[in-house]
Amino acid sequence: MNPTVQPSNAIQKKVCMVGAFAVGKTSLVKRFVESIFDERYHTTIGVKIDRKYLTVKGRDVNLVLWDLAGDDELAQLRMSHLRGASGYILVADGSRPATLDKAIELQSRVESTLGSVPFVLALNKSDLVHEWRIGADAAAALERSGWTIFSTSAKVGSGVEHLFETLAAKMLESTEKQVSDAT
Amino acid sequence: MTSELAKLRELLLGPEQAAIEALRERFDDPKLFAEAVGSVLAEAIRLRASGDPRFKQLLERIVEDVIRNSVRRNPAILTDALFPIISGAVRKSVAAALRGMMESIDQLVEQGFSRRAFKWRIEAFRTGRPFGEIVLLRSTLYRVEQVFLIHRNTGLLLSQRAADSAVHRDADLIAAMMTAIQDFVTDSFGKQEGDDLESFRVGECAVWIESSPNAVLAGVVRGVAPARLRRVFQGALERICSEQAREIEEFDGDTACFRESERHLDSCLLGRLSAAEAPGRVRWPWVLAACVSVLGVILWSVPVLRERSRWSQYLNRLKEEPGIVLTETGRDGGNYYVSGLRDPLAADPAALLRESGIDGEQVRFQWEPYVSLQPGLAAVRRMEVSKTAIEKQAVRFPVNSAKISVAQAETITGLVSHIRDLLESARVVARPVLVEVIGHADFSGGETHNNRLAVQRAGAVFAALIGEGLPASQIRARGAGSSEPLRSGDSELDKEFNRSVSFRVLFPK
Ligand SMILES: Nc1nc2c(ncn2[C@@H]2O[C@H](COP(=O)(O)OP(=O)(O)O)[C@@H](O)[C@H]2O)c(=O)[nH]1
Ligand SMILES: [Mg+2]
């Protein structure tokens, strides 16, 4: 992990990790950021917060990542934690097709809370080639409906940086769009 | 006939009659009429109100009257109706007011009559700051180390300030965590919306949180802060929220514009810690203050000190001076006095005083004359003796001659010995000395001749002295012609005196 120096003029963005239990949300964040908080908080407070500085399109961006603890039941995913997020990362486990269905369901529920904000889908555990169960056709169908999908592996690190960078770029675009709409 | 007509009418107008009958029934029966009007009343009012503003005003007046009457008759009805809405707000404001009052009472009791409080009042008066703020600054040992301004909705950090300018590099994470914790508390304990977590402890620091609908101000406080501090936080947050309402509302991740609020955050960085609570930390303001006050004392006393040191230097110099013995010195009122013994040959104390830069008016001298046996002064004394002896001498010459007669040889021998003494004494006290040999002529004869004669006579004596082994560098010869007669008379005796060489001892500077 490269040492991060806080750029004072970085754009701050809150990003939430959303997905079924044990799909690798926490592992993806861990792969990507430096952490300062004890793991303990994660289970007690129900959320783990980390940060990642990125430079996207020449702009410094500070992603403040909220990794929500909890299992499949969205009831336990505190909707208050989603509040104010500029984007979110949906995570599914490529070896468990049910987690993709869960992700699709979660997406619509998150959108009803946050409105239409940028998100990307990570089909995680791409290193488990032999156990991979999600067909290319399912992913293609989602992409046709406008989703941006990455296959990632938190274990070996592939696709992780790209996942976060793409989301950051999408969020900046959406900010710029809002600004130009307003003017 | 009538019955037939009625039959006909019934045949022709039967259905209409029934309808009219039904209508009349509706108008006449209050219940039915109310039903009929009621079904269109809302729409009728809406239509009327949208077209005619006066109707609205009329309605308003009626409603107001109704409410007023209702409250007058039985206030409980409206109170009960509104309670669920306003109780929260009222409770909050009453609680805040009570808390504030308790604090003030506490503080008044605790500090109202103490000497500290009196000092603080003076400070408040002097600096023009509110008394409360002074109390806050001075009364307890605490320090607000950091302040965070947090966007309420996103939990993102808008701005932060720290007491020792080292802002926290993980402040953004702390801000988000604080927001998460606040959410957690609200969720877990089912508090009502608007009841926010007000503080929590992290190790030896407490985090005080002040919330507004769109922003949160969190201060990290070390030590025990007075509850009044909360009002400072509140005030700062209110000012920020009113000045930057739009920026907070439209916040989209760009924090640059919140630099404007830094001054309000800075106003929250209050307090101080004792040495025990801030180990190893040098509190520069205090060190600086101490330095400034020491410097102040020094500056104030410099003239006094300088004069004192001059005076003692002067006394030391007097003590070392040959021929001066101090018997008593001191200060008497604003003036100095010195008394002692002084050899008349010793240096002049008043002259030394001028050299040392002390005002002569300030010093009173009282000297008893005495003869000093100090080596330096003895030499001076011998020099004086030699000088007198030398200057008494004269070498006489016959008329119109520059030849030293045999009779004068004895004079020369005496002169040589006096001059030797003089030079020796001068050497002891390291004083430059010069013996001047001056040739004279009487008034007879021409001036040119006389001048030449005078120079020749001086030259003859000079040569004789050198011949005896005296150093030429300390003897100078010159002719005065007849212009510096030793005797101004014109008698033969006067003339004899004027045909001579005289001597002067000079102490060149
Ligand atoms: N093989 C493999 N295992 C993974 C990967 N990502 C996560 N895991 C494992 O999946 C389990 C759950 O991961 P975690 O990050 O806690 O999932 P979360 O519940 O979504 O936060 C852990 O045992 C991880 O080691 C991956 O990319 N490849
Ligand atoms: Mg997790």
Side-chain angles (χ1 to χ4, degrees):
Chain A
M1 199 109 330
N2 43 341
T4 50
V5 178
Q6 178 163 9
S8 58
N9 57 345
I11 298 285
Q12 312 279 322
K13 293 288 183 191
K14 172 175 173 176
V15 171
C16 289
M17 305 296 295
V18 180
F21 179 65
V23 290
K25 301 182 294 292
T26 305
S27 305
L28 281 171
V29 170
K30 224 182 249 167
R31 186 82 217 180
F32 184 67
V33 302
E34 49 176 331
S35 295
I36 65 158
F37 292 115
D38 197 296
E39 288 288 320
R40 256 180 312 141
Y41 290 117
H42 197 181
T43 43
T44 52
I45 308 286
V47 63
K48 190 160 95 66
I49 289 155
D50 292 290
R51 141 196 74 204
K52 178 71 177 182
Y53 293 116
L54 289 174
T55 303
V56 182
K57 296 183 191 163
R59 293 232 49 178
D60 291 320
V61 186
N62 179 25
L63 299 185
V64 177
L65 297 163
W66 290 50
D67 175 17
L68 311 177
D71 53 22
D72 302 32
E73 295 312 310
L74 193 66
Q76 296 202 342
L77 189 157
R78 291 177 211 286
M79 288 316 243
S80 61
H81 286 164
L82 292 169
R83 199 184 55 211
S86 297
Y88 54 100
I89 291 179
L90 283 174
V91 187
D93 178 347
S95 63
R96 289 186 290 153
T99 61
L100 180 60
D101 298 337
K102 191 78 215 174
I104 294 166
E105 183 204 326
L106 284 171
Q107 194 277 328
S108 66
R109 296 179 71 168
V110 171
E111 191 160 285
S112 70
T113 307
L114 280 183
S116 162
V117 301
F119 70 94
V120 289
L121 171 67
L123 292 178
N124 193 37
K125 308 197 185 178
S126 64
D127 56 293
L128 301 175
V129 193
H130 303 294
E131 293 162 42
W132 196 261
R133 298 280 182 275
I134 290 178
D137 48 333
L142 285 173
E143 272 179 331
R144 272 197 301 280
S145 71
W147 286 34
T148 306
I149 305 175
F150 293 91
S151 63
T152 60
S153 168
K155 191 174 176 187
V156 300
S158 62
V160 182
E161 291 270 333
H162 197 200
L163 176 76
F164 285 97
E165 279 166 14
T166 306
L167 180 66
K170 273 173 172 273
M171 289 189 298
L172 284 188
E173 258 168 44
S174 117
T175 306
E176 280 155 18
K177 197 168 161 289
Q178 275 172 22
V179 170
S180 65
D181 285 354
T183 50
Chain B
M1 186 63 216
T2 322
S3 69
E4 277 166 5
L5 194 64
K7 238 180 216 162
L8 181 66
R9 206 163 56 193
E10 198 184 311
L11 274 175
L12 284 174
L13 301 169
E16 283 78 7
Q17 240 177 351
I20 289 168
E21 196 55 37
L23 269 179
R24 199 176 51 203
E25 204 180 327
R26 265 200 203 183
F27 274 104
D28 289 349
D29 185 333
K31 191 164 172 274
L32 288 178
F33 186 56
E35 254 171 32
V37 173
S39 66
V40 295
L41 189 60
E43 183 61 11
I45 290 173
R46 195 186 64 78
L47 279 174
R48 184 69 204 275
S50 69
D52 182 358
R54 280 175 310 165
F55 180 70
K56 233 185 200 163
Q57 286 169 7
L58 183 72
L59 269 184
E60 255 169 36
R61 226 170 292 141
I62 292 169
V63 172
E64 280 167 9
D65 273 353
V66 166
I67 293 175
R68 203 174 293 131
N69 280 333
S70 160
V71 172
R72 200 175 296 147
R73 229 183 13 255
N74 185 2
I77 297 170
L78 211 66
T79 312
D80 285 352
L82 288 177
F83 180 76
I85 313 166
I86 57 169
S87 70
V90 170
R91 190 160 40 84
K92 255 195 120 170
S93 72
V94 167
L98 273 179
R99 207 165 44 203
M101 207 166 74
M102 288 304 287
E103 263 168 48
S104 331
I105 291 170
D106 272 3
Q107 250 151 15
L108 275 178
V109 170
E110 186 194 331
Q111 294 146 357
F113 310 104
S114 71
R115 245 183 55 195
R116 285 194 308 177
F118 184 65
K119 262 163 53 187
W120 294 335
R121 292 245 175 243
I122 290 173
E123 187 176 348
F125 174 74
R126 200 165 38 75
T127 57
R129 295 159 86 177
F131 177 62
E133 197 175 313
I134 302 290
V135 171
L136 206 52
L137 267 170
R138 304 273 175 256
S139 56
T140 26
L141 295 176
Y142 74 97
R143 192 166 83 139
V144 181
E145 308 232 295
Q146 315 222 337
V147 224
F148 304 120
L149 180 65
I150 302 167
H151 189 240
R152 175 121 190 207
N153 197 37
T154 59
L156 291 172
L157 183 71
L158 298 178
S159 184
Q160 65 161 327
R161 301 296 280 170
D164 40 15
S165 77
V167 288
H168 203 294
R169 88 181 262 287
D170 292 319
D172 51 344
L173 297 182
I174 294 168
M177 201 58 172
M178 238 151 12
T179 310
I181 291 170
Q182 206 162 9
D183 290 345
F184 171 73
V185 170
T186 311
D187 290 356
S188 310
F189 303 114
K191 283 188 163 187
Q192 290 173 356
E193 183 79 36
D195 278 354
D196 290 306
L197 186 66
E198 288 191 333
S199 70
F200 58 88
R201 291 201 77 82
V202 182
E204 57 183 26
C205 288
V207 180
W208 289 32
I209 299 171
E210 206 46 58
S211 304
S212 79
N214 291 323
V216 173
L217 191 146
V220 180
V221 182
R222 189 182 295 276
V224 184
R228 241 173 221 265
L229 181 63
R230 192 166 282 288
R231 254 180 274 159
V232 174
F233 282 17
Q234 257 166 16
L237 183 61
E238 272 162 22
R239 280 191 293 277
I240 291 170
C241 286
S242 73
E243 283 173 21
Q244 299 209 277
R246 223 181 102 100
E247 288 90 336
I248 293 171
E249 182 106 8
E250 294 174 0
F251 175 65
D252 202 11
D254 192 350
T255 56
C257 57
F258 294 103
R259 236 158 262 160
E260 221 172 279
S261 286
E262 283 178 357
R263 62 206 162 90
H264 295 310
L265 296 183
D266 285 343
S267 75
C268 297
L269 295 170
L270 291 168
R272 69 195 166 88
L273 287 174
S274 74
E277 262 143 313
R281 187 167 286 174
V282 181
R283 282 176 306 287
W284 294 109
W286 291 109
V287 174
L288 208 70
C291 289
V292 165
S293 60
V294 167
L295 201 72
V297 169
I298 289 173
L299 285 178
W300 171 81
S301 55
V302 150
V304 176
L305 287 182
R306 201 190 292 143
E307 197 187 294
R308 290 273 162 88
S309 99
R310 275 183 186 160
W311 178 245
S312 68
Q313 272 172 15
Y314 172 67
L315 289 184
N316 284 338
R317 174 134 186 232
L318 276 189
K319 279 179 203 152
E320 281 166 16
E321 197 62 43
I324 291 178
V325 177
L326 301 183
T327 55
E328 213 183 328
T329 63
R331 258 174 90 88
D332 165 18
N335 293 324
Y336 298 105
Y337 62 88
V338 184
S339 43
L341 306 174
R342 177 175 174 262
D343 188 303
L345 288 176
D348 179 7
L352 293 178
L353 195 64
R354 278 191 297 277
E355 275 174 40
S356 70
I358 299 171
D359 180 12
E361 296 282 291
Q362 280 191 299
V363 188
R364 213 157 25 82
F365 291 117
Q366 199 174 10
W367 300 113
E368 292 294 328
Y370 89 116
V371 173
S372 170
L373 297 176
Q374 273 187 296
L377 217 57
V380 172
R381 194 177 310 286
R382 279 201 304 278
M383 238 160 63
E384 288 298 318
V385 171
S386 306
K387 181 179 183 319
T388 316
I390 292 164
E391 288 181 347
K392 264 196 212 149
Q393 304 295 321
V395 181
R396 302 265 149 81
F397 287 88
V399 177
N400 205 17
S401 162
K403 238 181 114 197
I404 300 169
S405 63
V406 183
Q408 296 296 312
E410 216 175 301
T411 314
I412 296 291
T413 313
L415 258 172
V416 167
S417 119
H418 285 311
I419 291 174
R420 278 217 172 92
D421 283 350
L422 174 76
L423 296 183
E424 175 57 24
S425 306
R427 197 185 53 75
V428 169
V429 293
R431 203 137 159 224
V433 68
L434 204 61
V435 178
E436 196 173 40
V437 178
I438 309 158
H440 303 274
D442 64 20
F443 297 116
S444 53
E447 199 186 312
T448 334
H449 176 72
N450 282 349
N451 284 344
R452 199 175 60 232
L453 196 60
V455 170
Q456 283 168 353
R457 284 171 178 160
V461 172
F462 177 80
L465 296 177
I466 301 300
E468 291 297 322
L470 291 175
S473 59
Q474 287 184 287
I475 298 165
R476 188 169 78 188
R478 69 176 176 94
S482 50
S483 61
E484 292 173 45
L486 299 179
R487 288 187 176 219
S488 52
D490 205 18
S491 66
E492 278 309 309
L493 188 66
D494 293 330
K495 281 184 182 172
E496 206 182 312
F497 267 100
N498 285 337
R499 289 190 297 270
S500 66
V501 162
S502 69
F503 302 89
R504 282 246 304 273
V505 173
L506 305 172
F507 299 104
K509 293 278 169 199

